[in-house]
Coordinates of all heavy atoms in Angstrom, one line a residue:
Y68 N 23.0 31.2 47.5 CA 23.3 29.8 47.4 C 24.0 29.3 48.7 O 24.3 30.1 49.6 CB 24.2 29.5 46.2 CG 25.5 30.3 46.1 CD1 26.7 29.8 46.8 CD2 25.6 31.4 45.3 CE1 27.9 30.5 46.6 CE2 26.8 32.1 45.2 CZ 27.9 31.7 45.8 OH 29.1 32.3 45.7
Q72 N 31.8 23.4 51.9 CA 33.2 23.9 51.7 C 34.1 22.9 52.4 O 34.0 22.7 53.6 CB 33.3 25.3 52.3 CG 32.4 26.3 51.6 CD 32.7 27.7 52.1 OE1 32.7 28.0 53.2 NE2 32.9 28.6 51.1
L80 N 25.8 30.8 51.8 CA 27.0 31.5 51.2 C 26.4 32.6 50.4 O 26.2 33.7 50.9 CB 27.8 30.5 50.4 CG 28.5 29.4 51.1 CD1 29.1 28.3 50.2 CD2 29.7 30.0 51.9
G81 N 26.2 32.4 49.1 CA 25.6 33.4 48.3 C 26.7 34.4 47.7 O 27.9 34.3 48.1
D82 N 26.3 35.2 46.8 CA 27.2 36.2 46.2 C 27.6 37.2 47.2 O 26.9 38.2 47.4 CB 26.6 36.9 45.0 CG 26.5 36.0 43.8 OD1 27.3 35.0 43.6 OD2 25.6 36.2 42.9
R84 N 30.3 39.0 47.1 CA 31.1 40.1 46.4 C 30.8 40.2 44.9 O 31.6 40.8 44.2 CB 32.6 39.9 46.7 CG 33.1 38.6 46.2 CD 34.6 38.6 46.3 NE 35.1 37.3 46.0 CZ 36.4 37.1 45.8 NH1 37.2 38.1 45.7 NH2 36.9 35.9 45.6
K99 N 32.4 40.7 39.6 CA 33.0 40.0 40.8 C 33.9 41.0 41.4 O 34.9 41.4 40.8 CB 33.7 38.7 40.4 CG 34.2 37.9 41.5 CD 34.6 36.5 41.0 CE 35.4 35.7 42.0 NZ 35.9 34.4 41.4
R162 N 32.6 38.8 34.6 CA 32.6 37.4 34.3 C 31.3 37.1 33.5 O 30.2 37.5 33.8 CB 32.6 36.6 35.6 CG 32.5 35.1 35.4 CD 33.0 34.4 36.6 NE 32.1 34.3 37.7 CZ 32.4 33.7 38.8 NH1 33.5 33.1 39.0 NH2 31.5 33.7 39.8
R169 N 24.7 26.8 40.7 CA 25.6 25.8 41.3 C 24.9 24.7 41.9 O 23.8 24.8 42.3 CB 26.5 26.5 42.3 CG 27.1 27.8 41.8 CD 27.0 28.9 42.9 NE 27.4 30.2 42.4 CZ 28.7 30.7 42.3 NH1 29.6 29.9 42.8 NH2 28.9 31.8 41.8
H228 N 41.7 22.4 39.9 CA 40.8 23.5 40.2 C 41.2 24.1 41.6 O 41.2 25.3 41.7 CB 39.4 23.0 40.2 CG 38.4 24.1 40.5 ND1 38.1 24.5 41.8 CD2 37.5 24.8 39.7 CE1 37.2 25.5 41.7 NE2 36.8 25.7 40.4
V230 N 39.6 24.4 44.5 CA 38.5 24.5 45.5 C 37.2 24.0 44.9 O 36.2 24.7 44.6 CB 38.2 26.0 45.8 CG1 37.8 26.2 47.3 CG2 39.2 27.0 45.4
N232 N 34.5 23.0 45.9 CA 33.4 23.0 46.8 C 32.1 23.0 46.0 O 32.1 23.3 44.8 CB 33.4 24.3 47.7 CG 34.6 24.2 48.7 OD1 35.1 23.2 49.0 ND2 35.1 25.4 49.1
D234 N 29.7 24.8 46.0 CA 29.3 26.1 45.5 C 30.1 26.6 44.3 O 29.8 27.6 43.6 CB 29.3 27.2 46.6 CG 30.7 27.3 47.2 OD1 31.2 26.3 47.7 OD2 31.3 28.4 47.0
N235 N 31.1 25.8 44.0 CA 31.9 26.1 42.8 C 31.7 25.0 41.7 O 32.6 24.8 40.9 CB 33.4 26.2 43.2 CG 33.7 27.4 44.1 OD1 32.9 28.3 44.1 ND2 34.8 27.3 44.9
C236 N 30.6 24.4 41.7 CA 30.3 23.3 40.8 C 29.1 23.7 40.0 O 28.0 23.7 40.5 CB 30.1 22.0 41.6 SG 29.7 20.6 40.6
I243 N 34.2 26.9 36.9 CA 33.9 28.2 37.5 C 34.7 28.4 38.7 O 35.0 27.5 39.4 CB 32.4 28.3 37.7 CG1 32.0 29.7 38.1 CG2 31.9 27.3 38.8 CD1 30.5 30.0 38.1
D244 N 35.0 29.7 39.0 CA 35.7 30.1 40.2 C 37.1 29.8 40.2 O 37.5 28.8 40.8 CB 34.9 29.7 41.5 CG 34.0 30.8 42.0 OD1 33.8 31.8 41.3 OD2 33.6 30.7 43.2
Y245 N 37.9 30.6 39.6 CA 39.3 30.5 39.5 C 40.0 31.1 40.7 O 40.3 32.3 40.7 CB 39.8 31.0 38.2 CG 39.3 30.3 37.0 CD1 38.1 30.6 36.4 CD2 40.1 29.2 36.5 CE1 37.7 29.9 35.3 CE2 39.6 28.4 35.5 CZ 38.4 28.8 34.8 OH 38.0 28.0 33.8
Ligands
MG2 MG1 32.8 30.3 44.8

Side-chain angles (χ1 to χ4, degrees):
Y68 56 84
Q72 299 189 305
L80 290 167
D82 287 334
R84 56 168 170 168
K99 184 171 170 184
R162 174 160 80 180
R169 309 138 188 274
H228 182 284
V230 219
N232 292 333
D234 58 299
N235 294 337
C236 180
I243 189 168
D244 263 11
Y245 293 90

